[in-house]
Amino acid sequence: MIFLIVGCEIGFWVLLVSGLATRYLLRARRLSNILLVSVPMVDVVLLAASVIDLRSGAPASPAHGLAAIYIGVSLAFGHQMIRWADQRYAHRFAGGPAPAKAPRTGRAHAAYERGQWLRHLLAYVVAAAVLGTFTLLVGDVHRTLKPWSVMVPWGLVLAIDFVISFSYTIAPRRRRGA
């Protein structure tokens, strides 16, 4: 299962880089669109493989929990990662404008950090929903406890991220020298 997760991560980046290279280096817009639209299919493959694995009687493991995390993070942050890569590729290879940087100070920075935390929360909720689906499909809560174990440390990270992200609302970063 862990090899499938690694393979899906590699597939995500291969499709993304191939799609952007096709768009900006080969100027093949249609093929580029096909490759970029295929990026989310990696999540579908991972989800289907995980379900098939569990339904066929394989022991549920933390690797299934990592698959759920991968899917949650991909859904919550995937579009943002693709946009980030697209801006850099366009700037580097197609004369596009320099990518805008995230705000580093003030209210705009605080708002950005809150938004990033909300994406993090969305990833967590999606992963929990995927794990819930795995549990329902297996039909045995005791057999699917191991995949849920990944949610505890992630919940701690989510709580720490909340404190840090929302601290900027209370005490925004100031410009140096201000």
Side-chain angles (χ1 to χ4, degrees):
M1 190 71 206
I2 199 76
F3 294 113
L4 179 63
I5 296 168
V6 170
C8 285
E9 180 68 10
I10 291 168
F12 172 88
W13 288 105
V14 166
L15 285 170
L16 177 58
V17 170
S18 299
L20 294 174
T22 304
R23 173 175 290 172
Y24 295 112
L25 299 177
L26 301 178
R27 307 248 190 260
R29 188 86 167 167
R30 186 173 296 195
L31 178 58
S32 168
N33 288 342
I34 291 168
L35 289 168
L36 292 173
V37 167
S38 299
V39 170
M41 295 310 295
V42 171
D43 295 343
V44 174
V45 167
L46 181 58
L47 183 60
S50 298
V51 168
I52 290 167
D53 190 41
L54 290 169
R55 295 282 293 174
S56 68
S61 71
H64 292 97
L66 290 176
I69 288 173
Y70 179 92
I71 292 166
V73 169
S74 181
L75 283 173
F77 290 97
H79 182 71
Q80 186 178 44
M81 286 189 288
I82 291 170
R83 190 172 0 111
W84 176 89
D86 187 36
Q87 289 172 345
R88 276 141 189 83
Y89 236 93
H91 176 65
R92 172 100 174 149
F93 298 109
K101 293 183 180 182
R104 295 181 172 231
T105 60
R107 288 183 181 162
H109 175 256
Y112 174 79
E113 290 297 327
R114 288 191 307 270
Q116 289 300 100
W117 183 83
L118 288 170
R119 283 182 186 275
H120 190 173
L121 177 63
L122 175 62
Y124 189 88
V125 168
V126 168
V130 169
L131 286 172
T133 302
F134 288 171
T135 302
L136 288 172
L137 289 172
V138 169
D140 183 359
V141 172
H142 298 293
R143 197 172 139 226
T144 58
L145 286 177
K146 284 186 180 179
W148 283 95
S149 67
V150 299
M151 298 303 280
V152 174
W154 191 14
L156 180 61
V157 169
L158 184 65
I160 292 168
D161 188 20
F162 173 83
V163 170
I164 292 169
S165 296
F166 281 79
S167 72
Y168 296 118
T169 301
I170 297 166
R173 273 188 187 166
R174 296 181 183 183
R175 289 193 184 111
R176 290 187 183 196

